[in-house]
């Protein structure tokens, strides 16, 4: 709108009428503000750079209340952390070693809160100058408080007094980085207005640009998260026509638009994770309502502490609607007393899960059907479903299946890493050559009661037996494609085809060793497995079963609050909303409904 051309109030309003529709599909970019005396303000260059890149700028005021900040963050699709004064060294565990030029603790706390809350929700982040530095500090990195007095190597003059739109020195961009893919240049002239700089880069980042004296000038996430930053001021150069700097903003706004689309998809669809082992840690006192409980985990003989990956707050942050929480039973001796104890343990885990769901009735509910899941979504509550991993947990009394059905169990995984009374495991030597005689009775009883048959962990012969014997489709609650990663837990093309031919579904597992043998797995590998199964048998037969809190979780989707990142990657690969609905829930809910029809008297 050209204000100088307006001559009357009517002219103004008519121009506004023409412009209003143009903002509907544009992403909203939050911009952090600076504090100067009694002013909360930002340089206009940030606003103009966002608007000319196609975004809608929204200034985020300095607020102490995290709840208010969350309410604002839920309205944006990307967040820019802007430049400004120094960061207090206490936030990276150092004493003040020189007189900082300008420290404002209130702004430091505001920025750090914004970064934490935004990154918890996977909102794309872009840090500029101070913003670049404070993001590094927020994720565990450190800074040189003063380059001239602390940096050991020869140095450029990093704090210039030239106009901001002018370049003062070049940076070298790392080939293969996101920044290189945007700029398509190895050397980029930039401006420079800082005396602090990154000393130790946070472990979750990798440097993507450096100066000739070795100062880190740009980074991006190495965990497949939408976080990047630059030390220079691209906004000042972009608004003066620098095409390379404009590309930086166009790219960021494009990522924000993709995130906006992913949020809209999650508002329209139901998302289900078909397998998590969070109840495994009930014995350590965790509660599903606590966002970040610490748990002690043992893996390959090493004991370490980590944070719980699936909780109601994290589900909300990641826009995950429903999860199957599993009563896991490690395979053990099959004598009468141990078997009895195992059945009691299964009951105890499920009872505790029921208790915790009741404790959080304002935000969650137990679901035993597809209709329950849909109802809870409408009520803005998370759906918790129950499963049993390892039919060892039912003992050798088939009547226990009905008892567990009554408790709310929707599927039973026939075995785990070892043979049981039901079948051969993929991790053991054949004992029955597939399903045992008792195992065949178990599958038929599960059919009768409307409980889904889960063939994850079973031997291939057991899986084929179950597919053939079951009256209804079967599921693989957390398994991936053997053709892409030759692991005993993954499914052959022939088995995937058999499951699909019966109408079943393969829920791709987010366990690193099930996704890749030749490189560390990430979100891209998980979606590669989805792609493969879609091409092999069709979009109707694939889903997601993370195995989080049981070893699952990979860079990009390592906890429930990162769920939305998988949707972003699916959109990036041109999956439609209809496709994504099937992958995230439609296929599994279809199987669940079919399996329960006979038990509900509809077959």
């Amino acid at each position: 709108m050209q204000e100088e051309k307006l001559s009357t109030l009517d002219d103004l309003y008519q121009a506004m009428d023409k412009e209003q529709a143009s903002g509907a599909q544009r992403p909203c970019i939050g911009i952090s503000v600076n504090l100067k005396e009694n002013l909360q303000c930002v340089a206009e260059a940030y606003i103009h750079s966002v608007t000319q890149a196609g975004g809608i700028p929204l200034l985020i005021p300095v607020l102490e209340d995290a709840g208010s900040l969350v309410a604002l963050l839920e309205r944006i699709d990307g967040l820019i952390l802007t430049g400004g004064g120094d960061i207090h060294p206490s936030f990276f565990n150092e004493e003040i070693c020189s007189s900082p030029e300008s420290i404002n603790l209130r702004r430091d706390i505001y920025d750090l809160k914004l970064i934490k809350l935004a990154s918890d929700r996977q909102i794309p982040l872009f840090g500029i100058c101070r913003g670049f530095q404070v993001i590094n500090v927020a994720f565990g990195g450190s800074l040189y408080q003063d380059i001239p007095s602390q940096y050991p190597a020869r140095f450029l003059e990093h704090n210039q007094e030239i106009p901001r739109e002018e370049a003062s020195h070049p940076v070298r961009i790392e080939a293969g980085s996101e920044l290189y893919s945007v700029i398509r240049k190895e050397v980029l002239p930039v401006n420079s207005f800082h005396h602090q700089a990154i000393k130790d880069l946070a472990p979750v980042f990798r440097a993507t640009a450096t100066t000739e004296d070795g100062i880190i000038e740009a980074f991006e996430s190495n965990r497949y998260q939408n976080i990047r930053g630059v030390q220079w001021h691209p906004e000042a150069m972009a608004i003066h026509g620098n095409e390379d700097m404009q590309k930086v903003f166009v790219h960021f706004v494009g990522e924000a638009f993709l995130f906006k689309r992913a949020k809209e998809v999650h508002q329209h669809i139901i998302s289900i994770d078909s397998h998590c082992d969070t109840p495994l840690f009930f014995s350590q006192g965790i509660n599903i309502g606590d966002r970040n409980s610490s748990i002690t985990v043992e893996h390959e003989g090493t004991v370490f502490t980590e944070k719980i990956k699936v909780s109601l707050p994290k589900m909300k942050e990641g826009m995950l609607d429903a999860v199957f929480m599993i009563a896991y039973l490690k395979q053990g001796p099959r004598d009468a007393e141990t078997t009895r104890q195992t059945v009691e343990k299964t009951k105890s885990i499920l009872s505790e899960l029921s208790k915790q769901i009741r404790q959080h009735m304002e935000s969650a509910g137990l679901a035993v059907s597809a209709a329950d899941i849909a109802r809870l979504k409408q009520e803005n509550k998370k759906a918790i479903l129950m499963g049993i991993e390892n039919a060892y947990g039912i003992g050798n009394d088939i009547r226990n299946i009905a008892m567990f059905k009554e408790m709310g169990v929707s599927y039973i995984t026939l075995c785990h890493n070892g043979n049981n009374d039901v079948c051969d495991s993929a991790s053991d030597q054949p004992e029955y050559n597939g399903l045992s005689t008792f195992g065949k009775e178990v599958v038929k009883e599960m059919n009768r009661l409307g409980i889904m048959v889960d063939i994850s962990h079973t031997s291939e012969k057991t899986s084929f037996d179950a597919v053939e014997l079951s009256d209804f489709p079967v599921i693989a609650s957390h398994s991936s494609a053997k053709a892409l990663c030759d692991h005993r837990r993954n499914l052959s093309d022939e088995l995937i085809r058999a499951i699909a031919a019966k109408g079943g579904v393969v829920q791709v597992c987010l366990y690193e060793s099930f996704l890749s043998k030749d490189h560390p797995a990430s979100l891209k590998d998980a979606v590669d497995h989805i792609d493969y199964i879609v091409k092999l048998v069709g979009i109707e037969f694939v889903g997601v079963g993370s195995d989080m809190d049981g070893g699952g979780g990979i860079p990009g989707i390592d906890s429930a609050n990162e769920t939305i990142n998988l949707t972003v990657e699916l959109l990036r690969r041109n999956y439609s909303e209809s496709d994504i609905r099937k992958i995230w829930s439609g296929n599994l809910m279809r199987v669940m409904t079919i399996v329960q029809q006979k038990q509900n008297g509809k077959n």
Side-chain angles (χ1 to χ4, degrees), residues 157-170 188-193 217 231-242 245:
E157 182 58 56
H158 288 275
N159 194 5
Q160 302 288 332
E161 295 183 0
I162 61 176
R164 292 195 170 224
E165 64 269 20
E166 295 182 13
S168 59
H169 64 78
L188 180 68
V190 303
N191 54 20
S192 191
F193 304 95
E217 292 263 337
Q231 179 61 77
W232 64 90
H233 280 271
E235 79 289 350
M237 303 177 80
I239 65 168
H240 284 87
N242 186 302
M245 301 306 172

Side-chain angles (χ1 to χ4, degrees), residues 195-347:
H195 79 110
Q196 291 193 321
I198 287 177
K199 179 167 64 175
D200 298 310
L201 192 62
V204 296
F205 301 133
R206 66 169 181 141
T208 58
T210 54
T211 59
E212 63 179 354
D213 60 357
I215 292 291
I216 295 171
E217 292 263 337
F219 64 57
E220 65 191 31
S221 171
N222 61 22
R223 296 284 299 171
Y224 202 77
Q225 291 181 302
N226 225 325
I227 306 173
R228 78 258 317 136
V230 298
Q231 179 61 77
W232 64 90
H233 280 271
E235 79 289 350
M237 303 177 80
I239 65 168
H240 284 87
N242 186 302
E243 293 183 0
D244 291 327
M245 301 306 172
Q246 288 175 344
K247 290 176 183 176
V248 171
F249 282 96
V250 169
H251 175 72
F252 179 69
V253 170
E255 290 297 301
F257 178 67
L258 206 57
F259 184 72
K260 170 184 170 68
R261 288 180 59 200
K263 289 195 299 182
E264 290 169 350
V265 167
H266 275 262
Q267 289 166 357
H268 300 157
I269 70 166
I270 292 170
S271 52
I272 302 174
D273 177 351
S274 63
H275 192 96
C276 86
D277 286 296
T278 310
L280 179 64
F281 300 100
F282 284 166
S283 60
Q284 296 187 22
I286 73 110
N287 188 289
I288 60 173
D290 298 334
R291 183 187 184 276
N292 232 16
S293 302
S294 293
I295 56 174
T296 300
V297 179
E298 181 177 352
H299 181 65
E300 296 180 349
T302 302
V303 178
F304 54 93
T305 300
E306 65 179 23
K307 300 297 185 182
I308 205 75
K309 294 188 176 185
V310 181
S311 63
L312 295 176
K314 287 186 175 181
M315 289 176 69
K316 182 178 180 181
E317 291 166 1
M319 301 186 79
L320 176 63
D321 297 311
V323 64
F324 281 80
M325 289 196 171
I326 306 305
Y328 158 72
L329 292 310
K330 183 177 180 180
Q331 188 58 47
R334 288 187 254 167
D335 60 273
E337 178 56 23
T338 306
T339 298
R340 184 194 67 77
Q341 292 175 3
T342 302
V343 173
E344 290 303 311
K345 181 179 180 181
T346 308
K347 290 165 62 178

